[in-house]
Amino acid sequence: MTEPAKLYPGVARKYLRMPHVEPGMVVGLFGGSFNPPHEGHQLVTEIAIRRLKLDQLWWIVTPGNPLKDTSGLPPLADRIAWSEAINQDPRVKVTAFEASHDVRFTADTLAIVKRYNPGVRFVWIMGADNLATFHRWQNWRDIALTFPVAIVDRPGSTLSYLSSKMAKTFDYARIDETDVALLPTLPAPAWTFLHGPRSPVSSTAIRNGDNRGVKKG
């Protein structure tokens, strides 16, 4: 097998490892292609850190989303650099460890995180704009059964949690937003929907020429 460092030139080895954590820490996991990262990602991050009282939040920069055309995806090293440039909070850890484990599906990623980090309380963080297609993700039920899930509001998606297949399937496991601080302590499945400031910026809009809210260093 070719070493990840050779498959992804320019990516420092530290990004190919999981960030260091200690038992008892509360850590958010926020995955995506970050092509490019923008203020919408930052708002989700800030809301999650504050409301869930996170010790760390990992930006997991994926080698490629299986549900999307990756033929025009910028190099992993570039997307890592952009993610580092836009983040100033030391609690945010940019990582691309998925590349070292040759995984592309979130369910597999979470299984690996759980296996290698006993005693750490993880929460999967997801923007509400992903809810409509969440049931198309590989082994999507396993995601909800691995770690608690915090779904953060995004423009146009406020009501999607009521109609999505994920919300209906795991309706019994939803906790009220007022109890969100308890979410990391609960066994999966457990999830909540977090309201807060929203940004209309999206990676797709930026790629189509709207550069508001993006910083590439």
Side-chain angles (χ1 to χ4, degrees):
M1 181 183 294
T2 305
E3 290 186 14
K6 294 181 179 179
L7 286 174
Y8 302 99
V11 176
R13 289 186 179 276
K14 68 177 183 178
Y15 294 113
L16 299 174
R17 300 187 296 266
M18 293 185 205
H20 177 73
V21 290
E22 299 285 348
M25 294 180 77
V26 180
V27 179
L29 305 172
F30 185 32
S33 59
F34 297 102
N35 177 33
H38 53 73
E39 66 178 22
H41 295 130
Q42 286 181 295
L43 274 176
V44 169
T45 297
E46 291 165 5
I47 291 169
I49 288 176
R50 176 170 50 85
R51 300 289 300 279
L52 293 164
K53 304 185 186 308
L54 301 177
D55 296 302
Q56 290 183 10
L57 188 145
W58 298 1
W59 274 31
I60 305 173
V61 185
T62 179
N65 186 331
L67 293 179
K68 297 180 180 179
D69 178 8
T70 59
S71 59
L73 191 65
L76 182 59
D78 288 352
R79 291 180 286 120
I80 290 172
W82 299 341
S83 297
E84 287 283 26
I86 202 173
N87 280 304
Q88 304 301 321
D89 190 328
R91 291 171 293 186
V92 177
K93 309 295 180 181
V94 177
T95 178
F97 71 86
E98 286 178 319
S100 295
H101 295 273
D102 194 28
V103 294
R104 294 291 186 276
F105 299 109
T106 298
D108 297 331
T109 298
L110 300 192
I112 290 171
V113 170
K114 186 173 184 177
R115 183 187 317 147
Y116 287 104
N117 298 280
V120 178
R121 292 180 290 171
F122 289 100
V123 178
W124 175 248
I125 311 297
M126 185 169 68
D129 48 333
N130 286 311
L131 270 181
T133 59
F134 185 68
H135 62 281
R136 293 177 53 203
W137 294 20
Q138 183 85 1
N139 298 325
W140 64 275
R141 289 179 176 85
D142 290 342
I143 297 173
L145 293 170
T146 303
F147 295 131
V149 179
I151 300 165
V152 183
D153 201 3
R154 289 280 288 146
S157 304
T158 303
L159 299 179
S160 60
Y161 74 96
L162 296 174
S163 59
S164 71
K165 188 171 182 177
M166 183 273 187
K168 291 180 177 179
T169 301
F170 291 100
D171 179 67
Y172 67 93
R174 182 187 174 199
I175 70 167
D176 192 270
E177 183 176 0
T178 58
D179 295 322
V180 66
L182 296 175
L183 188 67
T185 70
L186 300 176
W191 67 279
T192 195
F193 191 96
L194 298 179
H195 297 84
R198 297 175 298 171
S199 168
V201 178
S202 72
S203 294
T204 300
I206 293 169
R207 291 195 300 272
N208 289 336
D210 184 350
N211 292 313
R212 292 173 299 174
V214 65
K215 178 181 179 182
K216 295 186 181 180

